[in-house]
Amino acid sequence: MIRLFDLSLKLNGFPIKEAKAELDKIVHFSEEECTSFIEKKKKEIVDFHLNNNSFYRDLLENKKIENWNDLPILNKQNLQKPLEERLSKGYSKKNIYLNKTSGSSGTPFVFAKDKYSHALTWASNIMRFGWFGIDFNHSYQARFYGIPMDFIGYQKERFKDFLTHRFRFPVFDLSDAVLEKFLKKFRTKKFDYINGYTSSIVLFAKFLEQKNIILKEICPTLKACFVTSEMLFETDKRLLEKQFGIPIISEYGASELDLIAFENPKGEWQVNSETLFVEILDENNNPVPHGTEGKIVITSLFNKANPFIRYEIGDIGILDEKSTPQKPILKKLIGRTNDVAVLPSGKKSPGLTFYYVTKSIIEDDGNVKEFIIKQTKLDTFEIEYVAEKELISEQIEKIKQAINLYLEPNLNFTFTRKTILERTNRGKLKQFKSYL
């Protein structure tokens, strides 16, 4: 059988065979070999960009660098410059992989990877999905994602879907009538796995729950479901497991980097230590002990086209105490640093706190399908929700009591029922947003 996926990468100039061979070598290192490999790659990538990238040299401002912690932290604002000013010597738009971030962090930018680095990204994806019996060359994917709506962008994406053996379910309209059509496809197509945005897949599971349908029973070929780009709450994970009848796997990645963490078959969120070096730092950019929360800072060990060295991704997380250089485990992903609510008392609280507090109460009766929270003033929040019927005063009162308990009293909330929630142009649902 033709390995169409590998072939399409090769024809686009991505040396996938060599990348797979290198990745295989890295994963078979001993603990000692792994530690020395990471240190060697860190030094190599810094030296390369100091010698070949004027943007990175300027960032260092002739500082004396004596050890790794002396290197500056690179942020998204630094990268909002024309790509030509950030490319390394020897790289141009003709010999790189070019893309742009989704902008869900509020700071979109264009980025580049050299072709070998991008091939390693795919080799890493192929290996991790392979843990669950998924083969990109042959396994058929049900893809819950956005799609460009302009004619050329749309056709291009559909052609990519064909090459990568996937069927796309666009997520901009998730009304019951559309979900009914999705269900029909699962009855008639032999999908091997589901992949896509968490919120859209959860909404589909709620639709199945209403109909009392287990997806695996009508599509027996399904092996696993991989959710990405948005937080997966424990209650939602249980719902997905129940309604799909297959393992639910969480991934955490960034388009400009790679897969950052991927749930392994033991249920641990295993950090990618083969192509990335992940640090957790405090507010003063000092490393924190494992088990302590801090900002996630990542170095791409192979990307020569564009420096991502000590790059602050904008998320907060905790590495597990049992992490080793060879097998770091992400204990908790807390959310984006810019998704923080500042309260009248001066208290700062992750936006997800509101989501946790309201979610359990709002969803008690299964009426509310999904919702988002917006902070419009220091003491004022708007909750927009999609539901069969309006929330009743008892439910609203329960939410207020929970917020008083978990956050602080005297906050003002308005509840607005909508037929559809606003998603980004890629189809992501931003669950909390501060307008302060």
Side-chain angles (χ1 to χ4, degrees):
M1 194 184 280
I2 297 171
R3 299 180 69 80
L4 198 57
F5 186 81
D6 283 11
L7 185 64
S8 68
L9 286 172
K10 192 178 171 186
L11 292 175
N12 280 298
F14 302 113
I16 190 64
K17 190 179 170 186
E18 294 81 350
K20 282 181 176 180
E22 173 142 24
L23 189 73
D24 187 57
K25 195 170 88 179
I26 297 167
V27 297
H28 286 100
F29 281 153
S30 67
E31 190 74 56
E32 197 180 317
E33 287 169 329
C34 178
T35 303
S36 111
F37 160 78
I38 291 167
E39 291 309 312
K40 177 173 166 259
K41 291 308 291 183
K42 281 160 64 180
K43 186 177 184 317
E44 273 179 15
I45 201 70
V46 170
D47 289 348
F48 179 87
H49 286 300
L50 282 175
N51 292 321
N52 297 282
N53 194 289
S54 56
F55 160 76
Y56 193 64
R57 273 198 305 276
D58 291 347
L59 197 70
L60 267 64
E61 298 172 328
N62 300 316
K63 280 181 193 158
K64 194 175 180 191
I65 306 297
E66 292 185 349
N67 60 51
W68 182 258
N69 291 337
D70 293 336
L71 291 169
I73 301 299
L74 181 67
N75 61 38
K76 291 176 193 257
Q77 285 77 18
N78 297 142
L79 295 163
Q80 284 189 311
K81 288 183 170 188
L83 183 67
E84 289 76 6
E85 293 177 25
R86 293 183 277 118
L87 280 177
S88 300
K89 217 187 296 177
Y91 292 97
S92 70
K93 287 186 178 177
K94 290 179 182 172
N95 64 354
I96 55 170
Y97 167 75
L98 187 67
N99 206 339
K100 60 177 181 286
T101 64
S102 67
S104 59
S105 64
T107 318
F109 60 88
V110 173
F111 66 89
K113 289 183 186 179
D114 66 82
K115 293 208 165 183
Y116 185 66
S117 168
H118 191 57
L120 270 170
T121 293
W122 275 115
S124 165
N125 274 274
I126 288 163
M127 178 184 79
R128 285 168 168 80
F129 277 78
W131 292 344
F132 297 91
I134 302 303
D135 174 353
F136 285 179
N137 284 292
H138 308 124
S139 299
Y140 195 21
Q141 179 191 141
R143 188 172 183 80
F144 284 69
Y145 268 74
I147 192 165
M149 296 318 286
D150 64 286
F151 180 78
I152 292 171
Y154 183 88
Q155 297 303 332
K156 201 173 163 184
E157 211 60 33
R158 286 294 188 194
F159 183 61
K160 270 163 66 180
D161 287 344
F162 166 73
L163 288 178
T164 48
H165 205 42
R166 62 198 189 199
F167 182 90
R168 187 178 299 247
F169 295 95
V171 297
F172 300 118
D173 179 1
L174 295 167
S175 59
D176 282 3
V178 172
L179 293 175
E180 190 65 62
K181 288 177 186 169
F182 286 10
L183 182 57
K184 202 172 175 184
K185 291 290 180 193
F186 278 94
R187 290 186 192 277
T188 55
K189 291 184 176 288
K190 293 182 177 180
F191 292 116
D192 292 287
Y193 66 113
I194 297 168
N195 189 13
Y197 295 144
T198 309
S199 61
S200 311
I201 292 172
V202 167
L203 207 55
F204 184 50
K206 288 178 181 175
F207 173 76
L208 295 176
E209 187 180 38
Q210 280 176 354
K211 292 186 155 291
N212 202 19
I213 289 171
I214 306 295
L215 199 56
K216 174 84 172 166
E217 290 174 4
I218 63 160
C219 184
T221 48
L222 276 176
K223 293 189 185 84
C225 168
F226 303 86
V227 295
T228 189
S229 291
E230 300 154 345
M231 295 290 282
L232 176 65
F233 296 92
E234 200 48 50
T235 50
D236 287 338
K237 185 173 186 177
R238 287 198 295 271
L239 171 76
L240 292 176
E241 285 168 342
K242 176 172 161 269
Q243 294 309 137
F244 289 177
I246 52 178
I248 309 300
I249 298 103
S250 293
E251 61 171 60
Y252 165 46
S255 55
E256 66 270 37
L257 294 167
D258 203 332
L259 274 177
I260 299 166
F262 197 89
E263 199 175 326
N264 66 23
K266 291 180 182 172
E268 303 163 317
W269 235 4
Q270 190 169 327
V271 173
N272 169 1
S273 61
E274 296 87 29
T275 71
L276 303 176
F277 174 62
V278 176
E279 301 174 82
I280 307 287
L281 306 182
D282 65 18
E283 285 179 5
N284 300 314
N285 299 327
N286 297 314
V288 301
H290 291 342
T292 309
E293 82 174 53
K295 54 189 183 180
I296 299 175
V297 170
I298 301 178
T299 298
S300 180
L301 296 172
F302 286 89
N303 190 0
K304 291 180 174 176
N306 213 167
F308 284 98
I309 297 169
R310 305 199 88 201
Y311 165 59
E312 188 177 335
I313 193 168
D315 290 337
I316 299 167
I318 301 172
L319 281 180
D320 199 290
E321 292 85 344
K322 65 180 180 220
S323 296
T324 65
Q326 191 172 33
K327 192 183 172 185
I329 302 293
L330 188 64
K331 187 177 189 174
K332 199 173 181 188
L333 182 63
I334 294 159
R336 292 203 168 271
T337 46
N338 65 338
D339 290 347
V340 171
V342 181
L343 304 177
S345 66
K347 180 178 174 181
K348 290 182 179 178
S349 191
L352 282 168
T353 311
F354 292 87
Y355 198 76
Y356 276 115
V357 168
T358 50
K359 184 177 175 62
S360 56
I361 300 160
I362 278 182
E363 295 191 332
D364 273 352
D365 63 352
N367 169 40
V368 176
K369 293 180 179 179
E370 54 182 2
F371 64 95
I372 54 175
I373 298 169
K374 298 176 179 181
Q375 182 173 20
T376 53
K377 293 180 191 165
L378 209 54
D379 64 347
T380 306
F381 298 83
E382 292 176 5
I383 296 182
E384 295 179 356
Y385 65 96
V386 176
E388 303 283 328
K389 49 188 185 288
E390 296 274 350
L391 288 175
I392 56 172
S393 54
E394 285 93 329
Q395 287 170 306
I396 290 171
E397 192 49 45
K398 262 191 190 178
I399 292 167
K400 285 179 178 170
Q401 284 170 11
I403 286 163
N404 286 351
L405 181 65
Y406 287 96
L407 295 150
E408 64 184 56
N410 305 317
L411 298 175
N412 303 310
F413 280 80
T414 59
F415 294 82
T416 311
R417 185 174 157 222
K418 300 251 181 177
T419 51
I420 196 163
L421 293 181
E422 187 188 335
R423 285 178 149 78
T424 69
N425 59 2
R426 291 197 179 187
K428 290 186 189 178
L429 186 72
K430 194 156 172 54
Q431 287 158 329
F432 175 83
K433 191 168 184 185
S434 173
Y435 289 88
L436 298 187

